[in-house]
Amino acid sequence: MSYSTGQVLFFTSVLLMFPGTYLSSESNSASVNSGHVATNGLPFPWSKLRLPNYIIPVHYHLLLHPNLTTLTFNGSVKIEIDVKNNTNWVVLHSKALEITAADVLDESEAPLFDKALPVLEYPPHEQIAIFSPQILTSGEKYFLYLEFTAALGKGFYGFYKSSYKTPDGETRFLASTHFEPTSARMAFPCFDEPIFKANYSVRIRRGPFHVALSNMPIEQTVELANGLLEDRFEASVQMSSYLVAFIVCDFRSVSRQTSTGIDVSVYAVPHKWHQTHYALEAAVNILEFYEKYFSIYYPLPKLDLIAIPDFQSGAMENWGLTTYRETSLLYDPDVSSASDKLWVTMVIGHELAHQWFGNLVTMEWWNDIWLNEGFARYMEFVSVQATYPQLKVEDYLLVTCFAAIGRDSLNSSRPISSSAENPTQIKEMFDTVSYDKGACILHMLRNFLTDDVFQSGIVRYLRKFKYRNAKNEDLWNKVYHIYIGHKDSVNDSLQYQFAGEHIDLKKMMNTWTLQKGVPLVTVKHKGNKLYIEQERFLKTIQPGDPMCYLWHIPLTYKTSHSSTETRHILETKSDMLVLNQDVDWVKFNTDMNGYYIINYDTKGWNALIELLGVNHTALIINKLKDRALDLITYLKSETHNVPLLQGIGYLEYFYKMMQKRNVYDVTQNLKVFQIGYSRLIHKQTWSNEGTVSDRRMRSELLSLACDLGFAPCLEKARYFYHSWVKANGTISLPTDVMETIYMVGAQDDSGWNYLLEKYRVSMSASEKSKILAALASNRDSSKLLRLLELGMEGSVIRTQDLSALIYYVARNPSGHFLSWNFVKKNWNELVEKFQLGSFSIRNILIGTTGQFSSKEELADIKDFFDSIRDQSSQLRVTQVALENVEKNILWMERNLEALRNWLQRMLD
């Protein structure tokens, strides 16, 4: 993927801006004298957050019976265990489960004791301990047998209830699971850490009008005496507990078989069955692509994809039974936009990539979750580009890397591979750094190594560690050297020959995974010499920060006298490159594949800007610092949608910030300046015509124009809206501009009330999302508060959509403070709904504070975080929120007057 000079110049400028009983011989830290007290007042025999490693689960035999009338479940689990050290205790995880029976069985599955065994519970660590009066001997085979009961969860973790309404208004319930990262323990007692891979044999009891799904196909269905049916599933492959899944529902499905005989099915609530066909097509195509790309067959006989009505995240990669939010799986051509289609395709690409990265090979601990998520995020782009090239997914990789750089430039960022111990810390690892930065450094590595070498290396990695666990260094050690160089006999590290020199790839990639931040490379051009220097972008020294950040950066550059790309690895603080001759200009990060920012000296920038003035398509170039405003003007000549969308997005961000700060003159001038793109606006048709990129451009431009009050846009949107209302919503609106039409219609009382009713009855999650955004754009604070209250109540507006709603309200100038005050008032209930550390809590905090830009607002945020210190001190996101506001304040202080003067000059 390549960009023109002006495109890259513009991108650059934006980025610069936890006596006497024998436990085991393992360690005295596991002593019953540790001070940890169980719920019954007795000493708990284990002190650590992580489980002891002297008992290993081998095979779970799990029976579950969810009751969809009482919304409870009961079950039993018989776990074959491998005892590594002699012990009297078995310690494992359990959370919110009532353990009603416990026993230890011998190899013949006969109970070792006549009485039920005592069970100690230690809720702070979500652990239970079962005492065996007889020492369990190392090398002997035992089974741990437990019976349990619980209510189906009210939230989105563990074994939880969900519901939907039929077109006739009947409410029907289902039971579904979501275990990642630490919630399998809420469904059955287990060794709930990724290192404890085991086989699972699942049995589920259900009524005759429901279906049961799990990771594996049903082997046998048995009719029980009480009218229930028991589905017995095939034994699974070895996998981590967080990948186990089971669902009882009454959904319908569509099915198809891949060329290698895998049965693929897509499930949805019965009245949305017609929205499953595109997902089935995409899943089959992408699964077949991955089998070829990874040179490893998908190891299970079936793959199910199911849309769950209540689902917090976007999707989950449970092996053989992937679960999705409805908007991430269902596609209805009548209401789904081009962006919706791309989103569904990318999410399917992500979850299917996990069947190899995460499921087949699993990170050893959550500190390396990027080995799952970074790879899956990147493989979205690789798989969709290969299977659906018309979607132009590669254009969105730039957006991904922009998001990563924005987060990673903060001091509150973290290394890709970071420490995480308790469940809250682990949840926070599922963030922009793991996903987006992970994807971007993999993209950089792929372009550095070449496609073939990169692919060969990851195939080697998957084959070497299949059905096992891996650490960060395992990706570099003993993997790639088979293909790309030689193994150093001294340090056994990964070597790669580049420009006649052997490069230690492990050493190189550690600079990207073991330290935080984004490199800023400064280039000074003197004669035929280039002086290059690296430092951390936007770095300010804080206590605990290293004094020097140093990366091994795979640079690329072109000059005015060479059309071919030159490559150089910058391994030191500074370096000098000698050119064959003096050149007019030099441009680094040629195709924007590198995860670094380039800044030039005055001579370098002037040469590039001069060239840009002559021909804005002449180069593929990189990023700028002080000339962003002047470069914005070039966008009016730009024809490529990606930089246009990025540029317009930043202009809109400036506009919203000024609007919320009540800087009237700058707000008005920004509005006028943006409407100056009327040539582009007038070119847009109110239709679904064109490429995906063109359609997204249309959606964004017309939304902006109407938001700015551009009369022709408002007139057209009102025409479509009133025609739709007159037909009682029976005519089809252009899907790409549907949200804009709804937003214009929602501005008066009758339109808002009509849309709220349409939201209540809509059977499309995609349409409901568009309507909700429109309802939240109304400037009446009483209406906005009503929406927030409906979101908290959770009936009309599902709880899963509450975090998005809060964000929608926060971006509305009339809801800016309203949403923040709502979050402060309802904080405890929000945490109860979503769990501390979840992405929903992160989105709520960032979404409501992201555009604050005054010292008074910063003080208010700090006061609130101080008032919830027991919680806020556990969260990295609170530091992110504070730093965002601090940066906004600094930006206003440094740039408000410059922006004001520049706008006046441009508009004179």
Side-chain angles (χ1 to χ4, degrees):
M1 169 172 47
S2 62
Y3 297 95
S4 73
T5 300
Q7 293 163 4
V8 186
L9 280 173
F10 173 72
F11 296 145
T12 304
S13 67
V14 170
L15 290 176
L16 290 167
M17 309 262 289
F18 175 12
T21 300
Y22 186 71
L23 182 70
S24 86
S25 58
E26 189 179 68
S27 71
N28 57 15
S29 65
S31 169
V32 292
N33 296 318
S34 64
H36 292 71
V37 179
T39 53
N40 63 359
L42 294 176
F44 193 78
W46 187 249
S47 63
K48 299 179 181 179
L49 272 168
R50 295 213 209 165
L51 297 179
N53 60 11
Y54 57 83
I55 291 185
I56 309 297
V58 176
H59 197 134
Y60 291 79
H61 300 266
L62 180 61
L63 170 64
L64 289 153
H65 178 200
N67 189 319
L68 297 182
T69 301
T70 62
L71 301 179
T72 59
F73 69 95
N74 57 65
S76 65
V77 63
K78 181 178 65 178
I79 312 172
E80 179 185 343
I81 56 175
D82 180 10
V83 179
K84 298 295 185 181
N85 294 336
N86 296 351
T87 184
N88 290 95
W89 290 97
V90 181
V91 180
L92 67 164
H93 288 112
S94 178
K95 180 181 179 181
L97 298 174
E98 181 184 352
I99 309 299
T100 57
D103 212 338
V104 175
L105 315 179
D106 64 17
E107 186 174 2
S108 65
E109 302 187 24
L112 288 180
F113 314 105
D114 296 334
K115 297 181 180 180
L117 299 179
V119 178
L120 301 184
E121 300 181 41
Y122 189 63
H125 289 178
E126 301 175 358
Q127 295 172 355
I128 58 173
I130 293 86
F131 174 71
S132 169
Q134 174 182 318
I135 291 176
L136 304 180
T137 307
S138 173
E140 296 293 325
K141 182 177 180 180
Y142 299 96
F143 294 87
L144 176 65
Y145 177 79
L146 300 163
E147 294 178 1
F148 51 91
T149 186
L152 288 169
K154 295 181 180 179
F156 304 97
Y157 291 95
F159 198 15
Y160 70 94
K161 65 180 176 69
S162 179
S163 66
Y164 71 93
K165 284 190 177 181
T166 68
D168 296 331
E170 177 190 357
T171 298
R172 295 182 180 178
F173 290 95
L174 61 139
S176 183
T177 58
H178 186 99
F179 293 162
E180 189 179 39
T182 60
S183 294
R185 63 194 69 174
M186 298 175 69
F188 60 100
C190 56
F191 297 79
D192 199 10
E193 295 175 8
I195 193 69
F196 294 119
K197 288 194 170 188
N199 303 104
Y200 291 81
S201 294
V202 177
R203 293 181 293 153
I204 298 178
R205 293 178 179 173
R206 60 173 175 86
F209 300 106
H210 292 99
V211 295
L213 302 170
S214 190
N215 307 83
M216 300 297 290
I218 292 176
E219 186 174 55
Q220 182 184 17
T221 297
V222 178
E223 190 171 343
L224 304 180
N226 53 6
L228 294 173
L229 300 175
E230 182 177 287
D231 291 324
R232 299 174 179 176
F233 296 85
E234 296 177 13
S236 77
V237 295
Q238 280 193 318
M239 61 184 182
S240 300
S241 55
Y242 77 88
L243 294 170
V244 178
F246 32 86
I247 297 168
V248 176
C249 62
D250 65 347
F251 288 7
R252 291 183 62 190
S253 66
V254 292
S255 301
R256 188 172 137 195
Q257 201 171 72
T258 69
S259 59
T260 55
I262 306 302
D263 293 319
V264 180
S265 301
V266 181
Y267 289 80
V269 300
H271 59 277
K272 298 181 182 180
W273 175 83
H274 67 286
Q275 301 176 33
T276 59
H277 298 284
Y278 175 72
L280 179 63
E281 173 203 305
V284 169
N285 289 339
I286 294 174
L287 190 62
E288 290 178 343
F289 167 78
Y290 281 144
E291 287 191 319
K292 293 175 183 176
Y293 189 90
F294 297 137
S295 297
I296 300 173
Y297 288 120
Y298 174 76
L300 306 188
K302 63 96 174 174
L303 172 65
D304 296 333
L305 301 84
I306 182 168
I308 306 298
D310 298 283
F311 200 83
Q312 182 177 7
S313 57
M316 176 59 205
E317 67 266 21
N318 317 298
W319 216 347
L321 179 54
T322 55
T323 47
Y324 300 77
R325 184 182 281 237
E326 289 187 335
T327 52
S328 299
L329 189 67
L330 304 183
Y331 176 77
D332 184 349
D334 291 335
V335 295
S336 299
S337 67
S339 294
D340 294 334
K341 188 173 190 177
L342 176 62
W343 172 249
V344 168
T345 316
M346 292 180 70
V347 174
I348 291 173
H350 183 102
E351 303 312 320
L352 268 57
H354 271 310
Q355 306 304 297
W356 285 266
F357 284 101
N359 299 9
L360 187 66
V361 179
T362 311
M363 75 277 141
E364 189 171 291
W365 184 250
W366 301 105
N367 62 304
D368 283 330
I369 188 59
W370 88 276
L371 292 174
N372 289 18
E373 300 301 347
F375 267 102
R377 184 79 169 103
Y378 186 50
M379 292 308 298
E380 292 176 31
F381 297 99
V382 176
S383 64
V384 177
Q385 186 176 16
T387 55
Y388 291 90
Q390 70 274 20
L391 294 180
K392 295 291 182 183
V393 69
E394 61 272 16
D395 288 350
Y396 298 87
L397 184 57
L398 182 68
V399 179
T400 298
C401 295
F402 264 58
I405 289 172
R407 169 70 176 89
D408 204 21
S409 65
L410 302 177
N411 277 301
S412 52
S413 185
R414 62 170 181 85
I416 285 179
S417 182
S418 301
S419 175
E421 293 298 324
N422 64 50
T424 297
Q425 293 169 347
I426 292 168
K427 289 186 184 75
E428 281 208 305
M429 293 293 288
F430 292 78
D431 64 356
T432 299
V433 173
S434 291
Y435 285 74
D436 295 348
K437 182 178 181 180
C440 293
I441 67 165
L442 289 172
H443 180 64
M444 178 173 65
L445 180 63
R446 183 188 183 197
N447 283 274
F448 171 63
L449 297 177
T450 74
D451 294 354
D452 290 344
V453 172
F454 176 82
Q455 181 180 355
S456 297
I458 63 175
V459 169
R460 170 73 179 174
Y461 168 77
L462 289 171
R463 287 178 173 172
K464 184 175 182 62
F465 292 99
K466 64 181 179 181
Y467 302 112
R468 295 166 55 196
N469 299 80
K471 304 184 295 294
N472 182 58
E473 56 264 32
D474 293 326
L475 185 59
W476 322 122
N477 277 347
K478 306 176 184 177
V479 176
Y480 274 102
H481 67 267
I482 299 285
Y483 298 94
I484 62 176
H486 74 281
K487 181 173 67 175
D488 186 292
S489 59
V490 177
N491 60 22
D492 198 35
S493 62
L494 176 57
Q495 303 289 308
Y496 174 62
Q497 187 159 338
F498 172 79
E501 297 181 8
H502 288 292
I503 304 300
D504 187 334
L505 199 57
K506 175 185 177 181
K507 187 175 181 181
M508 171 183 169
M509 294 310 296
N510 279 348
T511 69
W512 298 97
T513 61
L514 301 183
Q515 65 179 352
K516 65 183 180 181
V518 185
L520 171 65
V521 178
T522 301
V523 179
K524 296 180 180 179
H525 182 188
K526 294 182 180 180
N528 70 332
K529 294 183 176 65
L530 300 175
Y531 297 89
I532 54 178
E533 186 173 335
Q534 65 165 295
E535 61 182 314
R536 186 184 172 197
F537 174 54
L538 296 184
K539 182 189 70 171
T540 57
I541 299 297
Q542 290 188 345
D545 270 2
M547 295 303 293
C548 179
Y549 288 82
L550 188 69
W551 291 265
H552 292 192
I553 309 173
L555 299 171
T556 59
Y557 63 93
K558 288 182 180 178
T559 73
S560 59
H561 287 55
S562 174
S563 60
T564 59
E565 179 182 271
T566 303
R567 306 168 74 193
H568 175 78
I569 298 179
L570 178 61
E571 297 180 332
T572 55
K573 180 72 173 176
S574 60
D575 202 353
M576 181 185 73
L577 303 177
V578 180
L579 306 174
N580 293 331
Q581 57 187 312
D582 195 7
V583 297
D584 298 326
W585 52 261
V586 64
K587 170 252 180 198
F588 278 74
N589 202 358
T590 51
D591 286 326
M592 297 192 70
N593 294 322
Y595 186 79
Y596 54 89
I597 298 169
I598 295 291
N599 190 24
Y600 302 92
D601 59 8
T602 301
K603 176 183 176 181
W605 278 121
N606 287 341
L608 293 172
I609 294 174
E610 181 180 350
L611 179 63
L612 178 62
V614 175
N615 181 3
H616 78 274
T617 64
L619 289 176
I620 303 165
I621 198 157
N622 211 280
K623 305 177 172 62
L624 177 66
K625 182 176 183 179
D626 300 318
R627 303 174 185 266
L629 294 174
D630 285 334
L631 278 172
I632 286 174
T633 60
Y634 116 89
L635 288 174
K636 292 185 179 181
S637 302
E638 181 57 72
T639 57
H640 197 293
N641 290 340
V642 174
L644 275 170
L645 284 169
Q646 199 72 33
I648 290 169
Y650 280 104
L651 282 171
E652 187 174 12
Y653 180 85
F654 296 154
Y655 172 75
K656 294 290 186 182
M657 186 184 294
M658 298 301 157
Q659 188 180 38
K660 290 171 180 176
R661 279 292 299 272
N662 296 316
V663 186
Y664 181 79
D665 63 318
V666 178
T667 302
Q668 290 302 113
N669 284 340
L670 274 170
K671 178 187 292 189
V672 173
F673 182 82
Q674 291 176 93
I675 291 176
Y677 287 88
S678 58
R679 178 187 63 83
L680 288 170
I681 296 170
H682 283 303
K683 284 177 60 179
Q684 307 306 312
T685 61
W686 294 69
S687 69
N688 293 330
E689 299 172 352
T691 66
V692 171
S693 183
D694 290 339
R695 294 173 65 179
R696 181 168 177 250
M697 170 62 75
R698 174 186 305 131
S699 176
E700 296 293 332
L701 269 178
L702 294 178
S703 175
L704 174 63
C706 285
D707 185 53
L708 293 172
F710 187 50
C713 183
L714 293 173
E715 182 180 347
K716 195 73 171 179
R718 289 188 185 115
Y719 167 78
F720 275 101
Y721 180 76
H722 292 307
S723 299
W724 179 71
V725 172
K726 187 176 181 180
N728 196 28
T730 58
I731 64 171
S732 295
L733 294 171
T735 58
D736 297 320
V737 292
M738 184 180 289
E739 185 173 319
T740 297
I741 294 169
Y742 289 160
M743 282 184 172
V744 172
Q747 298 312 306
D748 59 44
D749 290 350
S750 63
W752 194 89
N753 291 326
Y754 183 85
L755 282 167
L756 181 58
E757 183 56 31
K758 281 294 181 183
Y759 182 88
R760 294 177 189 270
V761 301
S762 174
M763 295 298 173
S764 166
S766 176
E767 182 181 43
K768 289 171 79 79
S769 176
K770 295 175 176 64
I771 294 176
L772 188 61
L775 291 168
S777 71
N778 187 284
R779 301 301 175 91
D780 185 339
S781 60
S782 64
K783 288 183 172 61
L784 299 178
L785 184 58
R786 183 182 174 194
L787 284 177
L788 292 171
E789 290 170 346
L790 287 172
M792 287 296 290
E793 187 271 332
S795 178
V796 175
I797 299 174
R798 290 182 180 270
T799 301
Q800 67 169 13
D801 298 316
L802 178 56
S803 64
L805 172 62
I806 292 172
Y807 168 73
Y808 293 152
V809 173
R811 72 183 184 183
N812 182 337
S814 299
H816 186 41
F817 295 110
L818 180 71
S819 60
W820 172 237
N821 290 332
F822 179 84
V823 169
K824 291 189 293 183
K825 179 181 177 181
N826 296 280
W827 173 253
N828 289 334
E829 191 172 351
L830 289 170
V831 171
E832 183 179 349
K833 288 179 182 292
F834 296 117
Q835 293 197 2
L836 205 63
S838 67
F839 88 96
S840 293
I841 290 296
R842 297 200 302 271
N843 289 349
I844 287 169
L845 289 176
I846 298 299
T848 51
T849 62
Q851 284 196 331
F852 284 145
S853 59
S854 73
K855 293 179 180 179
E856 294 78 13
E857 291 164 335
L858 177 62
D860 182 51
I861 298 171
K862 288 181 176 179
D863 287 345
F864 175 64
F865 288 165
D866 284 342
S867 73
I868 57 166
R869 180 167 297 280
D870 287 348
Q871 295 170 323
S872 65
S873 61
Q874 302 180 54
L875 297 174
R876 183 180 284 112
V877 69
T878 55
Q879 297 305 311
V880 176
L882 290 170
E883 195 173 351
N884 274 334
V885 179
E886 289 167 350
K887 288 183 66 177
N888 288 345
I889 293 170
L890 187 61
W891 190 95
M892 292 288 287
E893 292 174 347
R894 290 179 175 177
N895 300 302
L896 177 57
E897 284 306 311
L899 178 60
R900 174 180 281 123
N901 295 333
W902 180 83
L903 285 167
Q904 290 172 346
R905 176 164 57 88
M906 289 295 103
L907 298 176
D908 283 345

